[in-house]
Amino acid sequence: MASGSTGAGADLVVDLSRLASASLATVGGKALNLGRLVAADFPVPPGFCLTTAAYRKAAPTSLDTIAARLDGVGSEGTETSDGGSGLPDDDRDGLARQAREAVLAAPVPPDVEAAIREAYAAMGGGPVAVRSSATAEDLPFASFAGQQDSFMDVDGADAVVQAVRRCWASLWTDRAVAYRTTNGISHREVGLAVVIQRMVDAATAGVLFTANPVTGTRTQTVIDASAGPGQQVVSGAVNPDHFVVETASGRILQQPQDTPPSLADAQLRELTSLGDDAQRLFGAPQDVEWVVDGGGKAWLTQSRPITTLYPLPQDDPFTGQTGTDGTADADGTDARVYLCGTLMQGLTRPITPMGLHVLALMRGNNNGPWKTVNPGLRMYVDLTPILRNKSGRDLMARMLPLADGRSAAILPALLEDPRFSVARPSRRKSKANTAPARTQAKGAQGTQGLGVFLGIIPGMVRALLWPDRELRRARRYQDRLAARLVLPLPATAARRLQHTEDILATSINGLIQATLPAPSVGYLMLAVARRLLRGIAEPRELEAVLRGLPRNVTTIMDLELWHLAVSLGGDPEARRAFRELTPGELADRYRAGTLPAPAQSGLQEFLSKYGHRAVAEIDLGMPRWSEKPEHILGMIANYLRVEDPEQAPDRQFARAAKHAEARISELVERAGAKSRLRGRLVALCLRRTRQLSGLRELPKFCIVLVMAEMHRQLTEIGAELAGNGTIRDAGDVFFLDFDELRVGLRGADLKGIVARRRRLYDVELRRRRIPRLLLSDGTDVEAAMMAAAAALPQLAADDRLTGTPASAGTATGKARVIMDPVGARLEPGEILVAPSTDPGWTPLFMTAGALVMEMGGVVSHGAVVAREYGIPAVVGVADATTRLRDGQSITVDGAAGTITW
């Protein structure tokens, strides 16, 4: 088909076979992907695309004003800092309704209507599918699944024209507008094309994922199928047949057991092959809609990227380049397992690129024994060498339960996995040094690490023999460190950068040698005491010894904040300010110097000592409390609400310390009953434990002190780079590394690099499910174990329901059973329980704590959107809307596929 038989329609209609080289702005994501499939000879139903030029011709002028308001642009042209995301939901929905009504009321321009009719006639008429194709759709970071409308079995030219108009209006549905706002996509720049395709008479249809959407496994294809048109599967109107296929071999791993499957084995393998080819074409895992006609021919009707998968360990967040597609280790020979180190630090949020860069430098740029990768801007440690070593396995079995119980619970399954079996050392000895560079680097770094370890031994001896002297030594080091961090002024940006690198390079080893010996001895003495008390006391009894430890800088800080709150509580003006103002308002007044005098001076004194700390403080890019004191001000406000004196932190700390001393006396007495020498040794060990273990926070406290000075200097550099146009904002400096900053100081434009990394960072900030243990093929080990358990036959129970795991995660909240989304209200955190969902339900997902659905499968609309929003979901739950009742407290486990109460 020609791209338009008349001059008027030349830029309005394009045949699908000619779309491969079109632009996203012209034809939208859906049409562009279909065009690429057609160009690569995939079986795609014939059709044409009505371009965004047609939409822009038809769009009323009032849309410009509405879109600007949705983007946070006022009548005077000034743009809010939140880009419209702070607009109240009701206001946003009202503007979206105005936009829809304006589009539906506007006439279709004559030349646009003529182009539609001519192209439809050239197809031979008959039933067609009319589908929206937005320019902000099927993007690598946001799929927009189901956000715009599509219409099936549209017959006749008049009906096609009306369906096109309704597609245009669907660009402004509440759900589409909310989705764009959430993903930071401008409403003023979005456009909509429309795809019109020949309807295929479907015998069977459905959806396939070229990677397992629940477990993340890239080596599996997941297919949902049902008799009839595929829209029933996508919308969740039916419970589809669910298949899991090993992509490389075509081996069927899971299929229906109780009923004849809707697809034969050969059809499953054909669809798997088509999906794999589509993934290779687009270079990323795909969500593919397909139809098998009455003659058995398979057709692809859509392909879009899966945007909810956790990145592969090999993906590089700095360059944006992906590693392998996860299939390289399909045979297990190259499989690796990674532990999320940032989760071990209590961080679920991503770390800024500069933060990751500095952490890597502190570790010796991966030259040490612990190799790390940074998928999703989080730090993962490669455990493979440890798991393939017998001693390493024993160490992990002992240590991991102390660090993270959930990771420890799934460790046995990894130990039984043949891919991670103990490796036999090679008996061959080469005369030449043929070790890989990685191994040689490990040896060099290991020597350096040994030097650091040997350097702390004298300090450990001093701490054991003369603890008070070692404590004074550690304090003197802290004072010297603070003095060394000061940069003489004035200083150029280049000098600030050099100073930042210098203090990092010269501080860490000395810091470790000065601050680590004392707490190391404290915990070593606890271990000795535990051995001396074998048969006398249970190990858990010694936990009380560590309560209310003195000399813990973090505890001291918290108690000082409490005392500040107590003093402010006695000042009526300060107390009133903290009760009436939000933390943000209090912070504004503090910066302006207008807080009540006791609060202004008290907070200033506190921040002079602790302003270098921050939430997620191991990330160099996080603002320090001295910059953003809102968190501290909020804590003071909370302390002022404590009315029960027994709940006061200082009293609780004193009680804990008293309890610890009493436990020591008891344990010493019990040990002395065995022998006087044992009692004296236990007393010595536990006294040293109390004296020294509280200093465990001091090394981190000093490291954060160094980081705070680095953060301050980098912020100054960022301000200069923003001033000369190298970056947009001073904070952009934390999305670069040191080498890139040097390039920026020479005048290079770094805004593009920053924009890409900020987009990834924003995506990861919204992610709720973070894999604790991640395999190199993308498998979230915990989610995979839960899904496997859910596939086993389950006995009926009075306190649980089971279904298909659709979106991993766990949430507990009150159930809200909703049969119709119109007029429904869902309080934040409530669990949405519904018979099924389609795109009209999407606004409810934004406040839902989790989703439970009676119908649907893992690739139905509700499941896809739940994964997009990061909320747990279980679908295909029989009788959910009758078994569960409003207000009932339930727990949804989206990986296990269970609802319990």
Side-chain angles (χ1 to χ4, degrees):
M1 182 190 303
S3 63
S5 57
T6 66
D11 61 343
L12 300 177
V13 171
V14 183
D15 190 273
L16 292 185
S17 64
R18 302 179 62 181
L19 284 181
S21 60
S23 68
L24 178 68
T26 301
V27 300
K30 184 184 282 99
L32 183 60
N33 288 354
L34 285 171
R36 293 187 63 186
L37 288 172
V38 172
D41 293 327
F42 282 79
V44 175
F48 64 91
C49 174
L50 184 68
T51 68
T52 56
Y55 166 78
R56 300 196 187 282
K57 280 193 170 189
T61 55
S62 58
L63 271 186
D64 294 338
T65 302
I66 296 172
R69 291 179 61 189
L70 286 167
D71 280 341
V73 178
S75 57
E76 298 177 356
T78 56
E79 188 167 351
T80 59
S81 60
D82 59 20
S85 61
L87 200 66
D89 290 352
D90 289 346
D91 292 353
R92 184 189 63 223
D93 292 348
L95 289 169
R97 184 180 63 256
Q98 291 178 33
R100 289 195 303 276
E101 292 172 351
V103 172
L104 290 171
V108 178
D111 57 338
V112 173
E113 182 172 344
I116 296 171
R117 291 178 180 275
E118 182 179 343
Y120 175 68
M123 286 178 63
V128 293
V130 181
R131 313 174 78 185
S132 301
S133 179
T135 54
E137 181 178 72
D138 296 353
L139 303 175
F141 61 93
S143 72
F144 278 76
Q147 300 303 311
Q148 283 81 222
D149 291 341
S150 294
F151 304 95
M152 304 296 113
D153 285 308
V154 180
D155 198 354
D158 292 343
V160 171
V161 172
Q162 290 307 310
V164 166
R165 186 201 301 266
R166 292 165 66 189
C167 284
W168 287 339
S170 73
L171 186 64
W172 302 98
T173 60
D174 295 351
R175 61 181 182 271
V177 169
Y179 193 99
R180 289 198 295 273
T181 300
T182 299
N183 284 279
I185 295 171
S186 171
H187 300 281
R188 288 168 291 172
E189 297 177 6
V190 72
L192 192 98
V194 180
V195 174
I196 294 92
Q197 282 180 283
R198 172 80 60 205
M199 284 293 298
V200 176
D201 188 12
T204 310
V207 188
L208 73 81
F209 275 170
T210 64
N212 192 313
V214 173
T215 67
T217 307
R218 305 303 204 271
T219 56
Q220 294 176 355
T221 295
V222 174
I223 301 174
D224 275 12
S226 179
Q231 198 66 19
Q232 297 181 73
V233 176
V234 175
S235 67
V238 297
N239 277 329
D241 289 346
H242 184 68
F243 304 88
V244 180
V245 182
E246 188 176 70
T247 306
S249 67
R251 183 165 60 97
I252 300 170
L253 305 176
Q254 184 179 338
Q255 62 181 327
Q257 299 297 320
D258 300 329
T259 58
S262 54
L263 289 171
D265 290 0
Q267 290 176 309
L268 284 172
R269 293 189 180 97
E270 180 187 6
L271 288 170
T272 298
S273 179
L274 283 171
D276 189 41
D277 289 343
Q279 173 174 285
R280 295 178 189 280
L281 173 67
F282 292 109
Q286 295 292 297
D287 168 0
V288 180
E289 295 182 19
W290 55 269
V291 177
V292 175
D293 63 22
K297 180 177 175 60
W299 299 85
L300 304 189
T301 58
Q302 180 168 304
S303 186
R304 60 178 170 233
I306 307 173
T307 60
T308 58
L309 296 170
Y310 197 80
L312 288 169
Q314 300 90 337
D315 292 352
D316 187 342
F318 286 86
T319 64
Q321 295 179 345
T322 58
T324 67
D325 59 4
T327 60
D329 57 353
D331 60 358
T333 55
D334 297 320
R336 307 195 74 80
V337 58
Y338 300 87
L339 175 70
C340 187
T342 47
L343 275 182
M344 299 299 103
Q345 291 286 328
L347 289 184
T348 57
R349 63 179 298 135
I351 297 179
T352 59
M354 178 61 80
L356 286 172
H357 175 61
V358 168
L359 289 175
L361 291 174
M362 291 171 65
R363 295 191 316 274
N365 267 335
N366 254 355
N367 288 328
W370 299 95
K371 305 299 178 184
T372 61
V373 290
N374 301 311
L377 292 171
R378 294 173 181 88
M379 185 177 65
Y380 280 79
V381 181
D382 187 353
L383 296 184
T384 314
I386 298 172
L387 294 186
R388 304 202 72 186
N389 177 279
K390 188 176 185 306
S391 299
R393 286 175 163 234
D394 294 340
L395 177 66
M396 289 300 298
R398 290 197 307 271
M399 300 301 295
L400 196 54
L402 301 177
D404 182 55
R406 284 175 62 183
S407 296
I410 56 182
L411 180 64
L414 283 175
L415 298 182
E416 294 173 5
D417 191 323
R419 293 176 294 177
F420 307 114
S421 60
V422 175
R424 294 182 179 180
S426 175
R427 295 185 178 181
R428 288 188 176 182
K429 293 185 179 180
S430 173
K431 294 181 180 180
N433 182 7
T434 57
R438 181 175 67 181
T439 305
Q440 296 177 36
K442 175 179 175 180
Q445 185 66 18
T447 303
Q448 181 182 349
L450 179 62
V452 174
F453 173 73
L454 293 176
I456 71 172
I457 291 179
M460 293 177 67
V461 174
R462 290 193 300 267
L464 177 62
L465 299 177
W466 308 287
D468 291 337
R469 185 186 303 177
E470 188 62 17
L471 291 173
R472 289 193 296 271
R473 186 172 179 271
R475 292 195 190 98
R476 287 196 301 271
Y477 172 80
Q478 185 178 337
D479 294 338
R480 292 197 307 272
L481 176 64
R484 193 163 70 244
L485 295 179
V486 175
L487 172 66
L489 297 178
T492 64
R495 179 69 188 93
R496 291 182 187 276
L497 180 58
Q498 188 61 52
H499 178 68
T500 300
E501 294 184 87
D502 288 346
I503 59 177
L504 175 65
T506 60
S507 299
I508 302 303
N509 285 353
L511 185 154
I512 291 172
Q513 292 181 9
T515 61
L516 195 58
S520 298
V521 170
Y523 280 94
L524 182 61
M525 289 296 100
L526 182 65
V528 174
R530 184 176 288 114
R531 181 173 290 273
L532 290 170
L533 288 166
R534 277 185 180 176
I536 300 173
E538 294 294 324
R540 285 188 174 276
E541 294 185 72
L542 273 74
E543 293 176 3
V545 175
L546 299 176
R547 297 183 62 190
L549 285 171
R551 303 181 183 89
N552 184 319
V553 289
T554 301
T555 303
I556 293 169
M557 178 187 72
D558 292 339
L559 290 174
E560 288 189 21
L561 188 62
W562 162 253
H563 292 139
L564 173 59
V566 170
S567 68
L568 296 181
D571 182 270
E573 185 183 0
R575 189 175 186 87
R576 184 169 56 253
F578 276 89
R579 285 191 168 181
E580 294 178 356
L581 299 177
T582 66
E585 292 168 334
L586 290 167
D588 289 341
R589 290 188 60 178
Y590 171 71
R591 296 186 189 98
T594 58
L595 280 177
Q600 188 74 29
S601 60
L603 184 61
Q604 188 171 7
E605 181 180 356
F606 178 85
L607 292 177
S608 69
K609 295 171 66 175
Y610 303 110
H612 65 284
R613 308 210 72 169
V615 177
E617 61 190 1
I618 67 167
D619 182 357
L620 185 70
M622 292 298 290
R624 308 290 117 174
W625 288 342
S626 56
E627 299 171 81
K628 292 180 68 67
E630 285 86 347
H631 175 67
I632 294 301
L633 292 163
M635 290 300 300
I636 294 174
N638 288 336
Y639 284 155
L640 289 173
R641 296 188 183 97
V642 176
E643 298 181 352
D644 182 358
E646 294 305 309
Q647 291 183 342
D650 53 352
R651 291 198 183 187
Q652 294 185 48
F653 180 80
R655 284 196 299 270
K658 185 177 180 181
H659 180 64
E661 294 294 339
R663 179 58 56 86
I664 289 175
S665 298
E666 176 192 341
L667 293 173
V668 169
E669 183 179 349
R670 286 158 62 182
K674 288 281 186 180
S675 77
R676 183 177 298 178
L677 177 61
R678 182 173 295 206
R680 288 178 177 175
L681 289 174
V682 168
L684 173 65
C685 290
L686 295 183
R687 294 300 173 200
R688 288 290 187 268
T689 297
R690 293 285 299 170
Q691 283 179 300
L692 301 173
S693 297
L695 289 169
R696 69 176 184 267
E697 289 288 320
L698 185 59
K700 183 179 179 183
F701 184 88
C702 291
I703 289 173
V704 172
L705 192 66
V706 173
M707 285 186 163
E709 178 59 21
M710 295 172 66
H711 179 94
R712 191 176 72 83
Q713 296 297 342
L714 290 173
T715 300
E716 293 288 341
I717 296 170
E720 180 170 326
L721 291 178
N724 63 30
T726 297
I727 55 179
R728 296 187 187 279
D729 180 80
D732 289 351
V733 74
F734 299 108
F735 291 82
L736 302 164
D737 62 26
F738 288 154
D739 289 338
E740 290 162 344
L741 283 181
R742 272 189 285 274
V743 173
L745 289 175
R746 293 197 292 268
D749 189 334
L750 302 176
K751 291 191 285 291
I753 295 175
V754 170
R756 178 178 54 76
R757 292 177 185 169
R758 274 196 179 275
R759 186 163 57 242
L760 172 62
Y761 185 78
D762 291 342
V763 168
E764 291 301 324
L765 273 177
R766 295 192 294 271
R767 191 184 297 278
R768 298 189 186 183
R769 169 77 187 185
I770 313 301
R772 277 172 154 71
L773 286 163
L774 181 67
L775 301 188
S776 48
D777 67 358
T779 300
D780 177 340
V781 179
E782 185 179 40
M785 287 182 60
M786 293 294 191
L792 299 175
Q794 304 287 326
L795 296 176
D798 293 333
D799 62 349
R800 69 176 52 223
L801 292 172
T802 60
T804 301
S807 180
T810 303
T812 299
K814 294 181 178 179
R816 178 68 63 186
V817 180
I818 297 177
M819 306 302 290
D820 186 340
V822 178
R825 185 174 182 84
L826 192 72
E827 295 296 325
E830 286 186 331
I831 310 298
L832 172 60
V833 182
S836 65
T837 65
D838 65 8
W841 292 72
T842 304
L844 293 173
F845 283 51
M846 302 191 76
T847 55
L851 169 69
V852 177
M853 206 163 69
E854 288 184 325
M855 307 297 287
V858 71
V859 289
S860 61
H861 174 266
V864 171
V865 176
R867 288 191 294 271
E868 288 264 351
Y869 287 173
I871 61 174
V874 182
V875 301
V877 183
D879 304 320
T881 59
T882 54
R883 292 281 303 276
L884 301 174
R885 63 183 186 278
D886 279 350
Q888 179 181 0
S889 181
I890 61 175
T891 297
V892 177
D893 190 327
T898 61
I899 301 96
T900 56
W901 56 88

